[in-house]
Amino acid sequence: MENDFDVHAVRQDFPILGTQVHGKQLVYLDNAATSQKPQAVIDSLVQYYSRYNANVHRGIYTLSEQATAAYENARAKVAAFINAPSPECIIFTRNTTEAINMVRYAWGTDNVRADDEILISEMEHHSNLVPWQLLAQEKGAELRFLRVNNEGRLMLDGLDVLITEKTRLIAVTHVSNVLGTINPVKGIIKKAHKNGALVLLDAAQSVPHMPVDVQELDCDFLAFSGHKMMGPTGVGVLFAKPHLLEAMRPFMGGGSMIRKVMLTDSTWADVPQKFEAGTPNIADVIALGAAVDYLNDLGMDNIREHEIEITQYALDALREVSGIKLFGPWEVQSRAGVVSFVLDGVHPHDIAQILDSDAVAVRAGHHCCQPLMRRFNVPATARASFYAYTTEEEVDALIEGLHKSQRVFGHAVERSL
């Protein structure tokens, strides 16, 4: 490695990376699905439950005030992490999917009507596709699509034609969870705003891996998950511009999100409480704040640089495997640490199973992107995805596992003839 990022020191912070699977050292290459957790995040969960477990925004006793302060401090940390203009722009959800669905219901219900248009891309995760299908069906609106070229990049030549005076929203992924493509979203946002449309970014694969500045991007909505950025499962984030949050209707009704309740109607609490009905996921929000602290200590520029280097190392090694087909941009600066591939004569599920026998964890399947699989005429791919703790030795283990897969299934084919 050319930079001074010490990946082996980073690995010492993750107890699970010392785990053995089938008697062999774990090689975890499924970070696009979920990341592993540093000890600081694990400790944060233990400390909350063992030292100041109490509900937030309700009690005037010490424990409740401690819990409330920690919960709101996490909101401030998340806001600063993406350079949101204020903590009140941050709504805690369960995950990216819920954050996108919040926009679908709380904004889309009042702002999308019959014959309006919603522009999405062919590379979207189902969580940024299905909600817009449902909204379009409900409202009689039209879905339009940005297509993907053979290199795995969005075909933006037709963007001026696709965005019309009827376009209300462009919902696009910042980074593809299959191709690793980093989309040029700033230009898309600029064109959208010029035409009066809003933009939602699915940032589930970008916020954990590179610096993201919502004010510099000027996006209207941005959604991401805590568990992909070294935080716990069960907590996600929706960022939205303040005037949008003020105008949006509540997503769910119940306790905590109200100002005054009469028998027949109610008024709402200020943002962000208006969107956080019921007891929130207190422990995991606080632990997400610990994850933000940890990522800041590592430095997001350092993480991005490490992932560029490990991805280049992986691409160079994978290209030497006979019979392999790689998906996504050829130039590493245009992609995140995600590499999908197929191997002649071996189904991706079989690849994953053979790799697992050697303790190498990768994802195999359609990755919740069935339209993209059809675009590339494959039923599934195998996918290796990297993070700040991924080493060249782990990539070497992946390559050895692919050679083993070819030996095993090559022999099987020969025996069947």
Side-chain angles (χ1 to χ4, degrees):
M1 298 290 177
E2 293 183 358
N3 69 25
D4 57 2
F5 185 81
D6 189 347
V7 63
H8 296 287
V10 171
R11 292 176 64 83
Q12 299 305 309
D13 296 331
F14 294 80
I16 199 171
L17 297 181
T19 298
Q20 290 201 335
V21 176
H22 307 309
K24 300 175 182 177
Q25 179 63 45
L26 170 67
V27 175
Y28 186 77
L29 301 177
D30 194 20
N31 294 283
T34 196
S35 64
Q36 299 302 343
K37 321 305 175 192
Q39 188 63 51
V41 169
I42 299 169
D43 288 346
S44 176
L45 289 166
V46 173
Q47 287 167 8
Y48 168 72
Y49 283 120
S50 59
R51 297 182 183 177
Y52 59 100
N53 174 42
N55 215 325
V56 295
H57 303 138
R58 290 167 172 79
I60 56 172
Y61 53 91
T62 300
L63 286 189
S64 179
E65 290 176 346
Q66 286 178 327
T68 300
Y71 183 87
E72 293 303 328
N73 190 37
R75 194 190 308 274
K77 290 177 182 178
V78 171
F81 190 63
I82 60 172
N83 195 30
S86 73
E88 289 72 27
C89 299
I90 301 300
I91 310 298
F92 289 121
T93 64
R94 287 186 303 161
N95 45 46
T96 304
T97 300
E98 185 173 276
I100 293 171
N101 274 275
M102 184 178 289
V103 177
R104 173 252 188 272
Y105 282 101
W107 175 85
T109 299
D110 291 333
N111 291 279
V112 175
R113 296 179 171 80
D115 298 325
D116 284 345
E117 296 168 356
I118 301 169
L119 180 60
I120 56 179
S121 89
E122 203 172 17
M123 67 169 65
E124 298 308 313
H125 189 285
H126 295 164
S127 60
N128 198 32
L129 171 60
V130 176
W132 310 121
Q133 291 176 342
L134 293 170
L135 181 63
Q137 291 164 7
E138 176 186 319
K139 297 291 186 175
E142 179 185 352
L143 288 182
R144 309 189 85 186
F145 298 93
L146 281 164
R147 301 297 179 180
V148 175
N149 66 18
N150 290 336
E151 196 189 354
R153 298 179 188 269
L154 292 179
M155 300 170 68
L156 296 174
D157 291 348
L159 190 58
D160 289 333
V161 175
L162 286 168
I163 302 177
T164 75
E165 62 181 11
K166 295 182 178 180
T167 306
R168 292 291 169 266
L169 180 73
I170 299 176
V172 65
T173 187
H174 194 180
V175 171
S176 168
N177 69 312
V178 175
L179 306 166
T181 311
I182 301 173
N183 288 319
V185 293
K186 193 171 181 180
I188 296 173
I189 293 167
K190 190 173 181 179
K191 287 193 176 185
H193 288 171
K194 187 177 179 181
N195 287 273
L198 303 185
V199 176
L200 178 148
L201 295 182
D202 175 353
Q205 301 295 340
S206 62
V207 166
H209 299 280
M210 60 190 67
V212 172
D213 183 331
V214 292
Q215 295 192 74
E216 195 267 339
L217 290 172
D218 198 24
C219 57
D220 301 287
F221 303 105
L222 181 132
F224 57 98
S225 293
H227 71 96
K228 296 181 191 290
M229 53 186 287
M230 303 186 184
T233 56
V235 58
V237 173
L238 172 67
F239 157 81
K241 289 180 175 175
H243 72 280
L244 295 171
L245 289 173
E246 291 293 342
M248 286 161 57
R249 66 172 65 198
F251 179 45
M252 294 190 296
S256 298
M257 50 75 69
I258 51 86
R259 182 181 301 282
K260 187 175 183 181
V261 177
M262 307 298 284
L263 282 178
T264 56
D265 61 4
S266 303
T267 57
W268 318 127
D270 293 336
V271 173
Q273 275 71 37
K274 181 171 78 170
F275 298 101
E276 295 182 3
T279 297
N281 190 353
I282 303 166
D284 293 328
V285 165
I286 293 170
L288 175 59
V292 168
D293 288 340
Y294 184 82
L295 290 169
N296 282 331
D297 286 344
L298 292 183
M300 293 308 295
D301 286 324
N302 293 331
I303 292 172
R304 172 62 182 148
E305 187 62 28
H306 173 72
E307 290 186 14
I308 289 174
E309 293 177 357
I310 201 70
T311 303
Q312 184 67 67
Y313 183 84
L315 290 171
D316 291 343
L318 287 164
R319 287 181 179 124
E320 296 299 317
V321 177
S322 63
I324 198 167
K325 180 180 180 181
L326 303 174
F327 300 91
W330 304 318
E331 192 268 316
V332 73
Q333 295 288 345
S334 300
R335 64 187 301 158
V338 176
V339 181
S340 290
F341 55 90
V342 292
L343 202 56
D344 282 350
V346 190
H347 193 282
H349 289 179
D350 293 325
I351 293 174
Q353 190 169 18
I354 292 292
L355 288 171
D356 177 63
S357 70
D358 285 331
V360 179
V362 300
R363 174 82 177 265
H366 54 64
H367 313 296
C368 300
C369 290
Q370 291 184 0
L372 191 61
M373 295 295 110
R374 294 190 191 92
R375 163 62 182 83
F376 287 101
N377 197 30
V378 292
T381 73
R383 183 188 70 187
S385 50
F386 316 123
Y387 211 172
Y389 39 72
T390 305
T391 66
E392 292 181 355
E393 292 78 10
E394 290 183 310
V395 174
D396 293 341
L398 168 68
I399 302 301
E400 176 55 35
L402 297 182
H403 290 309
K404 181 179 179 180
S405 299
Q406 290 178 316
R407 291 194 300 272
V408 169
F409 286 92
H411 293 164
V413 170
E414 290 174 2
R415 285 196 299 271
S416 68
L417 294 176

